[in-house]
Amino acid sequence: MARETSPRVVVAPDKFKGSLTARAAAAALATGLAQVRPDAEITQLPVADGGDGTVDAFVAAGWERVELTAPGPTGDPEPTAYAMRDAIAVVELAAVVGLVKLPGDKPDPLGASTYGLGVVIAHALARGATEIIIGLGGSASTDGGAGMLQALGARILDGDGRELALGGAALAYATELDRSGLDSHIATASFTLACDVDNPLLGPTGATAVYGPQKGATADDLPILEAALENWSRLVGPDFAELPGAGAAGGTGFGALAVLGARVQSGIEVILDLLGFRDLVGAATLVVTGEGSLDSQSLHGKAPIGVCSVAQAAGVPVVAAVGRTTLAIEEIHAAGFTACYALADLESDPARSMAHAAPLLQQVGERIATEHLPA
């Protein structure tokens, strides 16, 4: 009978950026929980929202890690990987052509491209994937997904019939998109964009205006990129440029929507579904989630909020463990959390808190077990 009354806890945090991967965060919390409640059945399920760490979350859940070499955002070959199970492949843009892949962290806003992303997608298709999930986030380029399509066999030509160079700025000279050489597997595959932004491709809320500066674009670069994307959208399909998510990842969303027939879905929602989170929650006593910073931005589709929403719908209480939070307790409760524990309350110095995040999270796990899993 004791086993039947043992609490069941699902530990599903996102990464603590700069400190811990989602897997390491889950392990630290689980260790702390088990210290107080060794009888608890604890399931560790690291999560992500489509950005950094998405592939790692699936590998931690038992999916195959497929390793390969692909061009980074500036063309330099880089080791990367995607996750695969059966005929489903999860590709993380950030892990191939993201800001973290820039050589020497030096941005190239006009020349960076998504070509390497297309190389990874083609690799997954060749291995038999018929469903491709593309996590959009952390992009280093503003090329409207053109590089991705070039790697998949599309030809983008200038007025003289020559192949266009890679990068967003070059799109100003595009006059023809030849789709005849596209990878034949695309016709029988489905593409889902795990994306939590609804920006269109162009305009004041578009890819260039909102995200260009984050990729190193100067005041002089921005009109160049915007004009190039305008030309690209006229060539490929202006109607797609208005769709929510078209501006995601420097317009990669646009290229995928217009040419690959992709659909946009909330990043955390599609990932929780694929990881089987809903089934786990149904039998849970408590869910513990978290990330490095719980703030107002988190409330717009970040991983902990997605975890909390699913758990709430199942009637299971949710506790957040975070590095820090800028939300008032009323906002935390309004978001659906029973409680929130911040490492900053245990260690006020941010540098020390980040350096010792694992043992601090273990302490938080012990406190959560004490206060929310009474013997």
Side-chain angles (χ1 to χ4, degrees):
M1 293 296 294
R3 182 172 179 81
E4 293 177 0
T5 58
S6 295
R8 294 180 176 179
V9 186
V10 178
V11 182
D14 197 352
K15 63 185 175 298
F16 280 56
K17 196 166 187 177
S19 300
L20 297 172
T21 63
R23 184 191 290 210
L29 285 164
T31 298
L33 290 162
Q35 287 285 348
V36 175
R37 289 301 304 265
D39 62 319
E41 297 180 21
I42 302 171
T43 300
Q44 298 178 42
L45 192 76
V47 299
D49 59 11
D52 297 355
T54 296
V55 166
D56 288 341
F58 282 89
V59 172
W63 289 46
E64 178 188 3
R65 180 182 178 88
V66 182
E67 298 184 347
L68 72 158
T69 298
T74 58
D76 294 344
E78 289 278 348
T80 188
Y82 59 94
M84 191 163 180
R85 187 187 66 187
D86 300 326
I88 305 174
V90 176
V91 177
E92 179 187 320
L93 179 148
V96 192
V97 293
L99 288 165
V100 295
K101 289 290 187 174
L102 285 167
D105 294 325
K106 184 179 179 181
D108 184 9
L110 301 181
S113 89
T114 53
Y115 190 91
L117 176 63
V119 169
V120 175
I121 293 171
H123 192 279
L125 290 170
R127 286 187 96 242
T130 56
E131 183 177 349
I132 307 284
I133 312 298
I134 307 173
L136 297 184
S139 166
S141 62
T142 308
D143 77 342
M148 171 189 69
L149 298 175
Q150 286 171 302
L152 287 168
R155 298 177 70 221
I156 305 173
L157 308 176
D158 65 15
D160 296 321
R162 295 175 300 196
E163 293 276 355
L164 206 66
L166 297 176
L171 294 173
Y173 306 100
T175 60
E176 181 183 350
L177 173 63
D178 179 359
R179 310 182 190 208
S180 63
L182 275 172
D183 190 318
S184 60
H185 296 98
I186 292 172
T188 55
S190 65
F191 297 86
T192 299
L193 305 179
C195 170
D196 291 307
V197 301
D198 57 5
N199 306 75
L201 180 66
L202 304 169
T205 59
T208 300
V210 176
Y211 302 109
Q214 299 174 11
K215 302 166 190 184
T218 66
D220 291 333
D221 295 333
L222 294 176
I224 294 172
L225 289 169
E226 182 74 0
L229 287 182
E230 285 179 5
N231 183 55
W232 177 235
S233 70
R234 285 193 296 268
L235 190 64
V236 180
D239 291 345
F240 292 97
E242 300 296 326
L243 295 178
T252 304
F254 168 74
L257 288 164
V259 180
L260 303 182
R263 65 188 180 99
V264 176
Q265 188 174 345
S266 163
I268 185 59
E269 287 182 11
V270 66
I271 287 165
L272 290 180
D273 285 345
L274 287 171
L275 291 176
F277 179 72
R278 296 175 195 277
D279 294 335
L280 287 173
V281 166
T285 307
L286 178 71
V287 170
V288 181
T289 187
E291 64 180 349
S293 179
L294 186 67
D295 49 33
S296 58
Q297 188 178 2
S298 303
L299 302 178
H300 300 283
K302 292 296 185 179
I305 300 300
V307 169
C308 186
S309 297
V310 175
Q312 261 198 311
V316 179
V318 188
V319 172
V322 301
R324 68 182 186 96
T325 182
T326 58
L327 299 179
I329 189 63
E330 295 80 11
E331 293 176 292
I332 291 168
H333 288 160
F337 297 105
T338 301
C340 178
Y341 300 85
L343 304 191
D345 294 335
L346 300 175
E347 174 52 75
S348 59
D349 181 82
R352 285 199 294 266
S353 179
M354 292 179 70
H356 301 287
L360 290 172
L361 269 181
Q362 184 173 329
Q363 291 182 45
V364 167
E366 293 174 7
R367 185 175 171 190
I368 291 172
T370 300
E371 298 181 5
H372 299 275
L373 300 173

